[in-house]
Amino acid sequence: MKQETDSYPFVLKFIHWTTALLILGLLFVGFTMTAMPFSDDKLKLYMLHKSFGLLVLALVFVRVVAKLLSPKVKPLDTHKPWETFLAKITHVLLYFALFALPISGLIMSWAGEFPVSFFGLPVPSLMPKNHDVFERSQDFHEFLALGVLVLVFLHMAGAAKHHLIDRDLTMMRMMNSKNYNFLGAFAVLALLGSVWLASAALVAIDLADDKGISEQVERADEGADDHEDTVKKLDSDEWAIVADQSSLAFEATQYGQAFKGGFAFDGRIVFDPDHLDRSLADISIDIASIKTGSDDRDKQAVSAEWFDVKAFPKARFVTEKFESTGANQFTAHGELTIRDVTLPVSFPFTLTIEKAHGERTARMSAELTLNRLDFGVGSGQWKSTETIGDAVKISLSVHAVRKKD
Ligand code: HEM
Ligand code: HEM
């Protein structure tokens, strides 16, 4: 039979109050940061939120071990059976949330391929990117956060009732005192209670705001041309890009961790490997189509500080010449315009042309690295490459068709 005691051991008291402060702070920061517009400060808050959230996870492990090793805290004589029962359920649910909140946060970040660090120490991802898992864990994380807000209210109200109405030792045995001390415990209740109130107020604002968000205009999905239509539109000398089988992807870094994105593009390609002097490509990239796996980041990317889609809706690459460098190997030399900056860009690519069903299909792929700052992408606070790196890896894959020889 496990030993029994009237008061919590010091380590459990210490972890209880540290965790209480952390949880209430995390709720407050969590709801604040998600409502903020995309900025460097927002990303810094996300990183802090994750670090402190992981601290909660570390503490709950220590807490469970300490609880198993220490004597059982027996109910006070003043506790009615229903109070003991209700408190037990609340405590079990709170313990569950202490594990589930940080774990769902971790899974959300990993599945979304967002960086996680513990106060600067990178935490490697244990799973591949998965949009479905990302969305589910995001919803679960938010649900748990709202659940904890309600549970902590019940929990605090219970503690307040015992201290202020029943005037028993419930609060005192979670504090470092054996005697009833009205002011000390009241101060703790008032302090943590006000952080709870601030978090609850934020949730109320957040819920009211949600209406506005749902009314926001959804960016029209740049539907890929149907293959049949593409072929019909063909001018016999030209290649037509099959949009749904072509991609312009990029990889950049946020806090040193890679994230991927892509653009829709279209353009004119006249290409004959035997007549490179008569070949050209004029590719137009639709900036508003950017997708990076985060709505927030997409909105920020098209803003004035980044691509400034209102002033510069398209980026453009126009070739000056092609060079043959080996079997199926070429180099394109041309000019790339992003925003109002035009720079010479050359990149090697591989190209294979096949004939099938009276139709020629070409597959080209290229990889190159650009520096975003060369094109003025990311101004003001974003000029620093501490948060978003300068180098951007581009992967271009084009599937094009040509009807006649
Ligand atoms: C103003 C804020 C809070 C007050 C006044 C408070 C007060 C208390 C008191 C008096 C106890 C002991 C109950 C008893 O002996 O029957 C307790 C236990 C507990 N509290 Fe809190 N608490 C607060 C916030 C929180 C928060 C934010 C959490 C975590 C999410 C939390 C989690 C727990 C848990 C899990 C226990 C059970 C401890 C155990 O048996 O190991 N508390 N709390
Ligand atoms: C126990 C600790 C934690 C608490 C109380 C907490 C609480 C919250 C809250 C209240 C939100 C806002 C919910 C919303 O409006 O969508 C949030 C969002 C978020 N949390 Fe946590 N969190 C904790 C731990 C973690 C951990 C450990 C991570 C990651 C390692 C994490 C990652 C995130 C992320 C990425 C978001 C933003 C989701 C979005 O952009 O919609 N959280 N968290």
Side-chain angles (χ1 to χ4, degrees), residues 70-100:
S70 49
K72 188 176 179 308
V73 183
K74 58 178 185 226
L76 285 169
D77 296 338
T78 51
H79 290 176
K80 297 177 193 83
W82 68 267
E83 285 177 332
T84 310
F85 178 69
L86 203 64
K88 187 112 207 143
I89 294 179
T90 313
H91 294 171
V92 167
L93 289 175
L94 282 172
Y95 267 114
F96 171 74
L98 289 175
F99 281 103

Side-chain angles (χ1 to χ4, degrees), residues 19 22-35 42 46-57 97-110 114-117 123 134 137-139 141-146 148-149 199 203 206 210 294 296:
T19 305
L22 283 172
I23 287 286
L24 290 171
L26 280 162
L27 290 172
F28 183 76
V29 169
F31 288 116
T32 310
M33 68 184 196
T34 43
K42 175 174 177 140
Y46 266 63
M47 294 317 278
L48 273 179
H49 177 88
K50 293 175 190 179
S51 296
F52 280 107
L54 290 177
L55 184 59
V56 168
L57 185 62
L98 289 175
F99 281 103
L101 256 169
I103 290 173
S104 60
L106 256 181
I107 292 177
M108 176 201 334
S109 303
W110 286 341
F114 291 107
V116 181
S117 75
V123 177
F134 169 73
S137 43
Q138 190 180 30
D139 288 349
H141 195 70
E142 190 178 1
F143 168 79
L144 282 169
L146 290 171
V148 160
L149 205 67
S199 312
V203 177
D206 203 42
D210 267 357
S294 149
D296 236 11

Side-chain angles (χ1 to χ4, degrees), residues 52-221:
F52 280 107
L54 290 177
L55 184 59
V56 168
L57 185 62
L59 284 175
V60 75
F61 275 112
V62 179
R63 186 169 177 176
V64 167
V65 173
K67 197 170 160 65
L68 290 175
L69 294 179
S70 49
K72 188 176 179 308
V73 183
K74 58 178 185 226
L76 285 169
D77 296 338
T78 51
H79 290 176
K80 297 177 193 83
W82 68 267
E83 285 177 332
T84 310
F85 178 69
L86 203 64
K88 187 112 207 143
I89 294 179
T90 313
H91 294 171
V92 167
L93 289 175
L94 282 172
Y95 267 114
F96 171 74
L98 289 175
F99 281 103
L101 256 169
I103 290 173
S104 60
L106 256 181
I107 292 177
M108 176 201 334
S109 303
W110 286 341
E113 252 186 3
F114 291 107
V116 181
S117 75
F118 185 62
F119 300 103
L121 202 80
V123 177
S125 170
L126 298 183
M127 58 181 288
K129 184 172 179 154
N130 185 322
H131 191 69
D132 214 35
V133 174
F134 169 73
E135 284 196 333
R136 275 163 201 249
S137 43
Q138 190 180 30
D139 288 349
F140 190 50
H141 195 70
E142 190 178 1
F143 168 79
L144 282 169
L146 290 171
V148 160
L149 205 67
V150 174
L151 280 176
V152 169
F153 176 77
L154 286 176
H155 182 68
M156 277 182 348
K161 179 212 173 244
H162 283 288
H163 194 71
L164 305 176
I165 300 173
D166 301 344
R167 297 188 171 243
D168 66 16
L169 290 175
T170 311
M171 268 294 265
M172 299 328 296
R173 66 184 192 161
M174 196 32 116
M175 297 178 70
N176 224 7
S177 165
K178 284 220 173 303
N179 306 313
Y180 183 80
N181 173 345
F182 177 78
L183 276 183
F186 186 74
V188 171
L189 263 173
L191 173 77
L192 293 182
S194 44
V195 188
W196 182 90
L197 257 178
S199 312
L202 274 174
V203 177
I205 296 170
D206 203 42
L207 291 179
D209 257 15
D210 267 357
K211 262 199 209 139
I213 290 165
S214 63
E215 279 161 19
Q216 273 175 19
V217 187
E218 290 248 320
R219 194 173 47 231
D221 205 353

Side-chain angles (χ1 to χ4, degrees), residues 112-114 129 248-254 257-263 290-294 297-298 393 395:
E113 252 186 3
F114 291 107
K129 184 172 179 154
L248 173 56
F250 66 85
E251 189 178 313
T253 56
Q254 182 174 318
Q257 189 161 323
F259 70 92
K260 292 187 178 128
F263 291 98
I290 189 166
K291 291 242 156 50
T292 66
S294 149
R297 202 159 44 195
D298 296 351
K393 264 198 260 167
S395 309

